[in-house]
Amino acid sequence: MRHIRRLGIAVAIAAACAGPAVAADPKAARYYEDALKRFDKQDIPGAIVQLKNAIQQDRTMLAAQVLLGRALLLDGDPIGAEVAFDEALRQGVDRGEVILLLGQALLTQGKYDAAIARLDPAGLPVALRRDVLLLRARAYAEKGGGLAAEKILEEAAALDPRSARVRAAQGTLMLRLGRPEQAQRLSEEALALNRDEPAAWELKASLAHVRGDFPGALAAYQRLVQLSPNHVEARVARAGLLLDLGRVDEATADVGEVLRIFPRDPRATYLKALIAGRKGDTAAAQAALKEVVNLLDPVPPDVLGANRQMLMLLSLAHFSLGNHEKAAVQLREYLRRYPGEIGASKLLASIHLQRGEAGKAISLLEPFRSRQPPDAAVLSLLAGAYMSERRYPQASRLLEEALRLSGGTASMQADFGLSLLGEGRSDLGLDYLQQAFARDPKQIRAGVALAALLMRRGQAAKALQVAESLVRNNPGDISVLNLQGGLKAASGDLAGARQAYERVLGLAPGHAATILNLAQVDLAERRPEAARSRLTALLKAAPNNTDAMIELAAVEEQAGNVPEAVKWLEKARAFAPAAVRAGLKLSELHLAQRNFDQALAVAQETVSKADRSLPALAVLTRIQIAAGNLREARKTLDEMTRLANFDAETQLTVARLQRAAGNDPGARYSLEKALGGKPGYRPAQVMLVEIDIAQKDYARAEARLKPLLGQHPGDVDVARLQGDLLLARGQHSQAIAAYRAVLGKPGGAAALLPLYRAYEQAGERRQGLKALEDWAKTHPGEPTVLRVLADGYQNAGDETSARRYYERLLSLQPDDALALNNLALLLLRQGDRQALPVAEKAHRLAGRDPLVIDTLGWVLVNQGDVERGLAYLRDARLRDPGNREIRYHLASALARSGRQSEARLELGAALAEGPPFEGIEEARKLQRELGR
């Protein structure tokens, strides 16, 4: 059986605006391969140079962005690493490939809130989900959220009960929370589970260090370094302990090793200063302290302030250099973020005393005497400031409340109708609006609301009648003319819409809203240049017109210039009035590009700004579903169900999303609420039957379906359900007969594809294909049928017929990326050199979809251009690492280019457990060859 490729939903819908993701520049590919070799040899600076060269040649080279992030992280540049990983995510890397690395970059910078927000484990494989939870718990612990961290670690333990790493993380948290007995028990459990787990030895060393068992701590650190020679934290901790024990030469060796691995590590550099001071080398000590300052001073204040250790290091370095003013600034920031920390308080108090600010010193130190037994340094500092007046920091109050008022000035009937709509009682609301409009046809507010409601219900003709009445009764009102134009455009009458809008401009030349509407008509008529010209002129006259910015983004998206579209939306959402609308558009654009992390971040921010409105929540839900975050999607949908109340149409939308999130019980609840608001609502009843069938509750489905067949005898959807139920029960011939009966009715095309499935399941694919061909003869312009025919013949092994139907489909839809992609694979199998231009066109249209990228790479490799093909295949693998066929293709290309070791790794992943893929036998053969 041939495997037909199905592109991502977002790409399939909006392929024409995806744009190429990687150009596979040969020079960039050579830079990348050289950087990879340098990286493998631990020449990190050289790798960074070559990766930057690669990216300068080709900014869309995803593999270079990911490797650059890894290299920068190893080089001690977490800010640069974060930028690289974010760029990789924006370009479409699978988030599982970089989420741990990004988390490390954020934690290293002290961006704990950002780490918590972005380290979402939903939708990831179990092992990776566990590791993400460990990082997330660490972020909570670092910012003082011990309870939250404990709960997250319990979740990680439930995922992987035999993980020594999880036990060690739990023990480390217990130690931090002052529960050493529990930490000790967890340490022993971790080592019992795995004696070679570095995290378990790190915990053992920390416990011994805290107890004052310095030989035990050094032995544990030694074992940890043996297991993980590049474990920087262990070497830093051991160096500090050795320095405390006066073993300066041994400490020097550890510090030197840390600086070899991370030349820019400020902790090791500070220890280097202490060592120099111990040796009496004041110049070297001063030089090292200045290096600490040079490393940390340029770090943005928000980033530095969030990193407790680095902020204290900078304070100490400035203090040791005599820069007391700068040290005081850093210490005040430290205590603002981490109030009550005794070490920082003592250091700042000493600075105050040197300045004669004894009262400030007392304010800092007195609380420690009352809360805990004071140490000698606190007593000494307080004695020096005893005669001064005591002052205590005042607690800051945060009392802010937002009071939102709503109301209107329209008539009582119209207002009441609108309020009923808001409550979800749409039928009654519609009645009141119709009464208000019948009583006063000049009433614009009621008329506009009525027209919008009718349009939403699919009653376009009635909506247009209301608009025409409004125009007759308000002939000079620009708003009703724009409404008329909008309804005509929505009905497909673009010429009528243009006429209405031009009539507005005759009354009010330069009217911005109408210019925007005309630009939308230009776009609908596929005239992006005209729209761009119109909008550019509008922005020249009104530079802050955010609506024009948003429409320009739509123009650039249609033209395939996605970065420019993003730029306009980002600019628009910087203005408060446009923040929600532009945010929703930007979220959807990122979703179309499969940039799930960015889409999610923008959507969450937008939901907050939109006061959790239903449209914003719907966008957020679609992104959560697409990103595989089904648990979060269900939470959002529960909120939507509550907010939608008994509005039938909205609850139907929620139910569809619930089903997409795999939550049929939630969908059922939403549908029942829809029927509570609108009894007998047929779409809700139809979906309930579909859910019954999906859950194999055929008796309930039949009980629901029987009255529907009587109430709606000519309804195509209801009749189709009868075929669906028969098919689900395995009654293929009866299902086929039911679907064929539907085909003869108006709108019966809905039964065509189910009919084909029924034939397939009955083992009569050829007859199913014939039924599709018969339909295609009388409906030659139906692309869905042509696609199923092409795919069906390809699965049946009839490549000649498949090619014919793909070509017919492309004659109707030349920019159909899915059809182009599958045709390219077919041509490749046939040995047709046209496979390359077809694959290249698919890539131009949907260049962020990993399957499209893989197809182009595989075609190039098989046509002899291994170097270019390898760049594409690396990119595809980073976007979809779980795709075994892509990993086989990459392994094959690596083997052909002489990278046997890397090829073996990729083949191992390709041939792991999972369903078969096209080429699996060739993959096994290659594995045997490489094994030899």
Side-chain angles (χ1 to χ4, degrees), residues 633-848:
R634 290 174 184 178
K635 288 181 185 176
T636 310
L637 285 164
D638 287 346
E639 184 176 2
M640 288 183 70
T641 301
R642 179 178 56 78
L643 292 172
N645 206 354
F646 290 97
D647 182 275
E649 288 85 358
T650 304
Q651 289 291 7
L652 182 69
T653 299
V654 174
R656 289 194 183 106
L657 290 169
Q658 290 278 25
R659 297 209 71 195
N663 186 15
D664 277 354
R668 192 187 297 280
Y669 178 73
S670 293
L671 294 168
E672 286 167 352
K673 284 194 76 172
L675 290 169
K678 189 175 183 179
Y681 185 44
R682 184 190 55 78
Q685 292 176 311
V686 166
M687 192 179 293
L688 279 169
V689 178
E690 290 171 345
I691 292 172
D692 291 336
I693 293 171
Q695 294 186 339
K696 299 184 179 179
D697 191 345
Y698 303 139
R700 181 189 279 189
E702 189 168 11
R704 287 190 200 275
L705 182 57
K706 191 172 182 180
L708 276 174
L709 288 167
Q711 294 161 10
H712 307 280
D715 190 281
V716 169
D717 284 334
V718 174
R720 173 187 53 78
L721 282 176
Q722 191 171 28
D724 292 347
L725 180 56
L726 290 164
L727 184 60
R729 284 174 159 166
Q731 297 171 269
H732 300 119
S733 58
Q734 294 96 319
I736 288 167
Y739 290 137
R740 282 201 169 277
V742 175
L743 278 179
K745 298 177 181 178
L752 186 61
L753 299 186
L755 173 64
Y756 173 68
R757 285 198 302 271
Y759 274 120
E760 266 198 318
Q761 289 182 30
E764 301 172 356
R765 176 184 284 151
R766 287 288 176 180
Q767 287 180 264
L769 290 170
K770 184 179 184 306
L772 292 174
E773 285 189 321
D774 290 343
W775 181 273
K777 287 174 185 174
T778 54
H779 303 79
E782 178 51 61
T784 304
V785 176
L786 295 176
R787 186 187 311 281
V788 177
L789 275 165
D791 292 351
Y793 275 118
Q794 190 157 336
N795 281 328
D798 185 348
E799 293 184 345
T800 302
S801 297
R803 179 171 179 170
R804 181 173 74 252
Y805 280 109
Y806 279 131
E807 287 170 348
R808 276 183 61 184
L809 173 58
L810 288 166
S811 70
L812 294 171
Q813 297 181 170
D815 292 341
D816 188 319
L818 173 58
L820 287 162
N821 186 74
N822 287 344
L823 178 59
L825 286 171
L826 189 153
L827 293 172
L828 177 64
R829 283 194 292 272
Q830 292 181 335
D832 192 323
R833 301 294 293 183
Q834 285 301 305
L836 181 57
V838 173
E840 286 174 330
K841 183 174 182 182
H843 183 263
R844 284 195 299 274
L845 293 163
R848 289 182 178 274

Side-chain angles (χ1 to χ4, degrees), residues 57-114:
Q57 292 293 320
D58 182 358
R59 296 194 63 81
T60 65
M61 193 174 195
L62 188 54
Q65 292 287 359
V66 173
L67 190 58
L68 178 61
R70 292 175 61 195
L72 290 170
L73 200 53
L74 287 173
D75 198 45
D77 182 5
I79 298 173
E82 180 191 356
V83 171
F85 293 137
D86 275 340
E87 179 60 21
L89 286 165
R90 190 189 69 77
Q91 291 186 22
V93 71
D94 183 276
R95 71 188 185 103
E97 288 291 299
V98 297
I99 190 168
L100 294 178
L101 295 164
L102 176 61
Q104 289 168 14
L106 293 169
L107 288 172
T108 302
Q109 295 174 69
K111 291 184 173 181
Y112 304 127
D113 287 329

Side-chain angles (χ1 to χ4, degrees), residues 190-218:
L191 286 168
L193 286 166
N194 185 357
R195 298 283 305 174
D196 293 332
E197 172 53 56
W201 285 101
E202 186 175 11
L203 173 58
K204 185 177 177 67
S206 299
L207 280 164
H209 201 152
V210 167
R211 287 195 307 264
D213 176 10
F214 300 143
L218 289 173

Side-chain angles (χ1 to χ4, degrees), residues 131-211:
D131 292 345
V132 169
L133 288 170
L134 293 182
L135 281 181
R136 191 177 172 87
R138 183 178 147 201
Y140 271 112
E142 291 291 347
K143 64 175 290 189
L147 184 60
E150 192 171 358
K151 287 183 177 178
I152 290 171
L153 289 176
E154 286 170 2
E155 187 180 344
L159 269 179
D160 191 352
R162 302 285 300 166
S163 171
R165 196 182 313 166
V166 175
R167 290 284 207 293
Q170 289 176 308
T172 301
L173 178 63
M174 293 302 102
L175 187 59
R176 180 192 288 267
L177 296 176
R179 288 141 70 177
E181 296 82 6
Q182 289 176 263
Q184 180 65 41
R185 175 180 58 78
L186 288 160
S187 171
E188 291 165 3
E189 289 179 9
L191 286 168
L193 286 166
N194 185 357
R195 298 283 305 174
D196 293 332
E197 172 53 56
W201 285 101
E202 186 175 11
L203 173 58
K204 185 177 177 67
S206 299
L207 280 164
H209 201 152
V210 167
R211 287 195 307 264

